[in-house]
Amino acid sequence: MISEPILKVENLKEWFPVRRTIAQILKGERTWIKAVDGITFSINQGEIFGLVGESGCGKTTTGKLIMKLLEPSEGKIIFKGKDVTHLEADKLKEYRRNVQMVFQDPYASINPRFRAQDVLEEPLIIHQMGETRAEREKIIRRALEEVRLIPPEEFMERFPHMLSGGQRQRVATARTLVLSPSMIVADEPVSMIDLSTRAEILHMMKTVQRELGLTYLYVTHDLSTARYFTDRIAVMYLGKIVEMGGADEIIDNAFHPYTKALIAAVCEPIPGKSNTIKEVPIKGEIPSAANIPSGCRFHPRCLYVKPQCQEDEPILKEIDLGHQVACHLIS
Amino acid sequence: MADTNDILKVENLKINFFTRKGKVYAVDDVSFSLKKGETLGLVGESGCGKTTTVLGLMKMIPPPGKITGGRILIKGEDIIPLSEDEMREKIRWEKISMVFQGAMNCLTPVYTIGKQMMETVQEHKEMEYLQAKKRIINYLNLVGLPEDIIRRYPHELSGGMKQRVVIATALFLEPEIVICDEPTTALDVVVQAQIINLIKRLKKKLGLSVIFITHDLATEAEVADRLLVMYAGKLVEIGTNEQIYGKRGPIHPYTEKLLKATPRLHEKVEELSFIPGTPPDLVDPPSGCRFHPRCLEVMEKCKKDIPSLIEVEPGHWIACWRNTND
Ligand SMILES: Nc1ncnc2c1ncn2[C@@H]1O[C@H](COP(=O)(O)OP(=O)(O)OP(=O)(O)O)[C@@H](O)[C@H]1O
Ligand SMILES: Nc1ncnc2c1ncn2[C@@H]1O[C@H](COP(=O)(O)OP(=O)(O)OP(=O)(O)O)[C@@H](O)[C@H]1O
Ligand SMILES: [Mg+2]
Ligand SMILES: [Mg+2]
């Protein structure tokens, strides 16, 4: 099924200024942390889109840009056909009702002094939804049932410390659902959660997504949950997308050396590997976003580097239907 | 089970925390052994007692916790009766050492790496400054770090580099047993693979015996020669890498479910299975088999009687009424 993009991001950039020394100020030198450095993608209505990459590659910054918690340095965000890059206060409020975010840490994102009911009621009050208390309670009960905190009455009374990590993440998800958003940005929603519960939360999120026809942007560094959870994956490296395509295609037919390294690094529950050294085809560690290498920004870590890679920045090219790669190895 | 190859043997270890809420049964009658040169994995959900078990082996249980029973034999010598001075002088760091959970994020921000390592060393061993410094550099090189790291501060290092520093420190007094408590959990996949490779290389080169803790069965598959599976303070299954991850697979319903909940990158699954419910509160653990409230194969007996570990095939032990005929 081909559907309309609900969200389009064009050449989006977020550069943070680096604090300078006096000498640099006098010389007029300016340096930037290029956290997001020109990314373009679109997410279809009802799709789960995964943004995958190592720590510091700009995933959270991208999520915050889309949530409009940050102003982009450059580029455009188009939501349901409308340019939302710069919005006035009232339009912004409307947009934020439509696009919700689940944060990484289920402990930090919920006020410890609020009962689950208060946590869920707050956004309703802010957005003036539900005229009466009874009406709001109805919405809250429905959201709690949606995330399988049943019976909702019981969980509404609980404070965060009376909930397990998984239950807290469910409350955080329910909190996004009360406003009936059309899109949810989920930033590593399960990385702090135990493995057995992780599967349960992803299952719950997927069920909710199907039932309500939601669109997700799922941010993670974990390719194995991305394969299970997402429809399409974009692999990000130092602020840029290096490869993008269908989730199965990316994992079964990865082209970019970085994607291949990420795949090779994943541990798998299969026997007989405790005595062997795992070959991960990549050099060193990720450099700082304040100091992005010339040409292809991956070249210092690449095992297949050519002279061209040090000079020209590769752009995303389609190598197969819907499968794009930015790499000079494409002939 | 007596085996001269056992460098460490734990018998009926019990550790409790005496809290206002009551007595926490964090480690309850745990027995296992570590063979010379092997890597023993310890897995289980958060709060099941992994860290408490290994802190017990170091005799570093924080109050209000206490070892309340059992024996810990290092090369045949029970360390439980030893005094704190004896532990510090001849056991801790020299015979058995540990990479603590989250230690890489606990390096003091105001001191250089060199200074922090030096302090740890001098606390435990009298050594001339220059000699100690030379050794520190040796160990930093051994874990793949350049010499100039000693002059750097923690915030200047990446997560992977900090973890290497912590590993170098744990190895410094040449222990034979090294415990690694979730050394890769907070790291990126590529760095995770690098740290796992490092631990494997060091193990070979220095002839170490390793206990490797994680809650991730996939990671454990790539490091552990044998695996201990812990649930709610008790060991429920012990098996070799082949027994747990091979065709036959785990036998205990808990391990089985845990493995099914582990995503596999190269297999497309429609749904991941999961274990409904949460692990119990260890102040008041369930009667009988502690897993019984979450077990789909529960029988009447499971609610009443505590199953003990039974060897179902050579080297493969499980504590489950459903799968043993005793
Ligand atoms: N407000 C800020 N000011 C300056 N630099 C920032 C700011 N926010 C993020 N950065 C930098 O931008 C880069 C990208 O950060 P971001 O948090 O988006 O990464 P990430 O991919 O989400 O990483 P992680 O997996 O660790 O969450 C990093 O180098 C980070 O240090
Ligand atoms: N200082 C303490 N006081 C009271 N209870 C404690 C203390 N430390 C640990 N516990 C309890 O002991 C049990 C085992 O905790 P432990 O830290 O050993 O688990 P773990 O398996 O290492 O978990 P994780 O995967 O989260 O690190 C838990 O129920 C915990 O709440
Ligand atoms: Mg992030
Ligand atoms: Mg622990």
Side-chain angles (χ1 to χ4, degrees):
Chain A
M1 194 182 76
I2 297 191
S3 40
E4 279 298 291
I6 182 169
L7 180 87
K8 268 163 79 175
V9 157
E10 287 170 15
N11 192 31
L12 202 60
K13 288 186 185 172
E14 183 67 41
W15 291 10
F16 298 108
V18 179
R19 242 184 286 152
R20 293 179 288 174
T21 60
I22 292 178
Q24 283 172 321
I25 293 172
L26 292 178
K27 275 192 252 159
E29 271 176 24
R30 246 188 183 296
T31 47
W32 303 93
I33 294 172
K34 299 178 179 176
V36 173
D37 198 20
I39 58 173
T40 299
F41 61 84
S42 59
I43 306 181
N44 292 331
Q45 170 69 46
E47 183 175 50
I48 305 184
F49 187 82
L51 199 56
V52 180
E54 279 174 286
S55 185
C57 72
K59 304 181 297 292
T60 296
T61 306
T62 306
K64 284 185 178 164
L65 283 168
I66 289 171
M67 285 303 300
K68 304 210 47 64
L69 297 169
L70 285 172
E71 276 289 300
S73 313
E74 214 181 298
K76 256 201 240 174
I77 304 172
I78 292 158
F79 183 71
K80 293 186 170 168
K82 291 203 190 77
D83 190 333
V84 295
T85 319
H86 307 284
L87 288 178
E88 288 133 40
D90 58 327
K91 288 266 166 56
L92 186 61
K93 201 167 161 188
E94 162 72 16
Y95 177 79
R96 291 224 176 111
R97 196 188 63 69
N98 256 306
V99 183
Q100 289 281 311
M101 186 152 179
V102 183
F103 293 91
Q104 175 166 358
D105 186 350
Y107 297 85
S109 62
I110 297 180
N111 187 330
R113 284 174 313 228
F114 277 18
R115 293 170 308 152
Q117 165 159 14
D118 310 321
V119 171
L120 268 63
E121 194 169 14
E122 192 187 31
L124 291 175
I125 294 170
I126 292 173
H127 288 275
Q128 288 147 8
M129 287 176 65
E131 305 250 305
T132 61
R133 178 125 215 191
E135 231 171 274
R136 289 196 294 269
E137 266 186 27
K138 211 171 116 195
I139 300 174
I140 291 167
R141 263 200 300 273
R142 209 173 45 223
L144 288 172
E145 275 170 8
E146 207 59 73
V147 298
R148 304 294 179 280
L149 288 175
I150 298 168
E153 291 75 19
E154 195 201 312
F155 286 96
M156 278 158 75
E157 293 304 318
R158 293 214 196 161
F159 288 94
H161 72 267
M162 302 157 102
L163 300 167
S164 72
Q167 288 169 338
R168 267 180 242 206
Q169 201 56 292
R170 282 166 193 267
V171 170
T173 307
R175 188 178 196 273
T176 65
L177 294 178
V178 291
L179 297 174
S180 326
S182 31
M183 187 167 141
I184 292 179
V185 176
D187 188 2
E188 312 243 20
V190 292
S191 67
M192 304 272 289
I193 296 178
D194 241 304
L195 203 98
S196 56
T197 318
R198 188 178 293 183
E200 189 179 2
I201 292 292
L202 289 177
H203 175 83
M204 177 274 293
M205 289 179 67
K206 213 168 177 170
T207 312
V208 169
Q209 184 259 347
R210 281 188 202 134
E211 278 168 8
L212 305 179
L214 295 174
T215 306
Y216 283 147
L217 173 67
Y218 173 65
V219 169
T220 183
H221 65 267
D222 175 14
L223 267 175
S224 30
T225 60
R227 167 163 217 174
Y228 155 72
F229 191 61
T230 67
D231 301 308
R232 278 195 304 140
I233 292 175
V235 178
M236 220 171 152
Y237 186 75
L238 276 183
K240 268 222 143 78
I241 292 173
V242 297
E243 183 156 13
M244 180 155 62
D248 290 345
E249 172 74 8
I250 290 292
I251 285 152
D252 294 335
N253 299 312
F255 186 93
H256 199 285
Y258 180 60
T259 315
K260 286 185 178 164
L262 283 183
I263 290 172
V266 172
C267 289
E268 293 231 63
I270 50 180
K273 291 197 284 187
S274 65
N275 265 321
T276 54
I277 295 288
K278 189 208 270 290
E279 295 294 335
V280 181
I282 191 168
K283 291 185 270 189
E285 288 191 24
I286 193 165
S288 149
N291 204 350
I292 289 180
S294 64
C296 170
R297 54 196 67 203
F298 183 62
H299 89 255
R301 302 182 74 191
C302 187
L303 302 187
Y304 312 98
V305 59
K306 302 189 289 185
Q308 185 192 7
C309 307
Q310 295 165 28
E311 281 150 33
D312 306 337
E313 174 133 48
I315 50 163
L316 276 174
K317 282 190 199 133
E318 190 150 62
I319 59 163
D320 208 335
L321 196 64
H323 184 173
Q324 292 173 300
V325 182
C327 177
H328 292 308
L329 293 174
I330 303 170
S331 43
Chain B
M1 276 210 280
D3 190 334
T4 44
N5 276 332
D6 291 346
I7 188 161
L8 168 77
K9 200 155 163 33
V10 176
E11 292 173 355
N12 310 97
L13 185 64
K14 286 195 170 81
I15 302 173
N16 300 109
F17 290 97
F18 298 88
T19 67
R20 256 185 293 153
K21 262 175 73 192
K23 187 169 163 188
V24 181
Y25 292 85
V27 177
D28 201 26
D29 208 12
V30 162
S31 304
F32 64 89
S33 60
L34 172 69
K35 293 192 187 74
K36 189 158 177 39
E38 90 171 330
T39 302
L40 190 60
L42 177 55
V43 282
E45 280 165 286
S46 185
C48 72
K50 304 183 293 295
T51 298
T52 307
T53 303
V54 292
L55 284 177
L57 306 184
M58 298 282 288
K59 294 231 309 175
M60 290 175 80
I61 302 290
K66 242 188 159 147
I67 298 181
T68 49
R71 301 207 300 163
I72 299 169
L73 305 162
I74 294 181
K75 291 183 153 176
E77 183 191 11
D78 187 359
I79 61 165
I80 290 188
L82 296 186
S83 70
E84 176 57 25
D85 281 346
E86 287 172 305
M87 276 304 292
R88 202 176 42 232
E89 274 159 29
K90 54 177 214 181
I91 306 288
R92 215 178 280 145
W93 307 116
E94 297 195 27
K95 289 224 164 79
I96 181 166
S97 82
M98 180 159 167
V99 172
F100 292 93
Q101 183 169 9
M104 53 178 262
N105 297 320
C106 298
L107 295 167
T108 322
V110 292
Y111 293 138
T112 60
I113 297 295
K115 183 161 175 166
Q116 298 192 47
M117 289 182 76
M118 188 64 88
E119 268 183 7
T120 319
V121 170
Q122 287 179 332
E123 223 168 86
H124 291 276
K125 198 163 197 139
E126 272 180 46
M127 203 183 280
E128 203 208 323
Y129 177 83
L130 277 179
Q131 192 198 350
K133 184 172 167 189
K134 213 167 128 194
R135 274 184 71 125
I136 288 174
I137 291 170
N138 271 345
Y139 274 88
L140 286 171
N141 291 340
L142 190 68
V143 298
L145 290 172
E147 180 180 335
D148 72 289
I149 290 281
I150 56 170
R151 283 184 295 275
R152 312 247 306 256
Y153 289 88
H155 74 266
E156 300 175 275
L157 309 188
S158 69
M161 288 157 94
K162 280 188 273 191
Q163 193 61 284
R164 284 172 197 262
V165 169
V166 173
I167 293 172
T169 312
L171 295 176
F172 194 81
L173 296 179
E174 303 182 335
E176 291 168 80
I177 304 167
V178 178
I179 300 161
C180 301
D181 191 359
E182 310 250 13
T184 56
T185 306
L187 302 171
D188 267 314
V189 280
V190 172
V191 184
Q192 266 180 22
Q194 288 165 345
I195 294 294
I196 289 173
N197 282 344
L198 173 70
I199 292 172
K200 285 180 175 174
R201 286 202 180 96
L202 291 171
K203 181 189 132 182
K204 249 200 195 121
K205 190 158 179 184
L206 307 175
L208 304 170
S209 311
V210 177
I211 298 179
F212 191 102
I213 300 181
T214 138
H215 61 266
D216 179 14
L217 271 175
T219 305
E220 212 65 272
E222 304 217 357
V223 290
D225 301 315
R226 272 190 321 132
L227 198 64
L228 309 173
V229 184
M230 199 164 185
Y231 183 78
K234 283 189 169 294
L235 290 183
V236 296
E237 184 156 7
I238 301 176
T240 62
N241 186 294
E242 180 60 36
Q243 282 163 344
I244 303 290
Y245 299 102
K247 261 211 206 84
R248 170 78 158 90
I251 299 171
H252 197 286
Y254 175 64
T255 321
E256 215 181 349
K257 290 274 155 26
L258 208 57
L259 190 57
K260 281 205 181 117
T262 307
R264 290 163 191 253
L265 186 63
H266 293 289
E267 251 170 54
K268 177 74 179 172
V269 284
E270 261 322 299
E271 299 295 348
L272 283 178
S273 66
F274 52 87
I275 311 174
T278 48
D281 183 355
L282 295 182
V283 172
D284 184 22
S287 59
C289 171
R290 291 187 178 177
F291 185 59
H292 89 253
R294 298 172 78 188
C295 186
L296 298 178
E297 299 166 48
V298 60
M299 310 180 297
E300 271 315 302
K301 193 175 175 56
C302 309
K303 298 178 189 167
K304 291 194 292 262
D305 302 328
I306 301 173
S308 43
L309 280 170
I310 301 222
E311 192 167 24
V312 290
E313 59 180 286
H316 197 164
W317 300 71
I318 53 167
C320 173
W321 290 121
R322 168 72 68 189
N323 295 292
T324 45
N325 328 313
D326 267 60

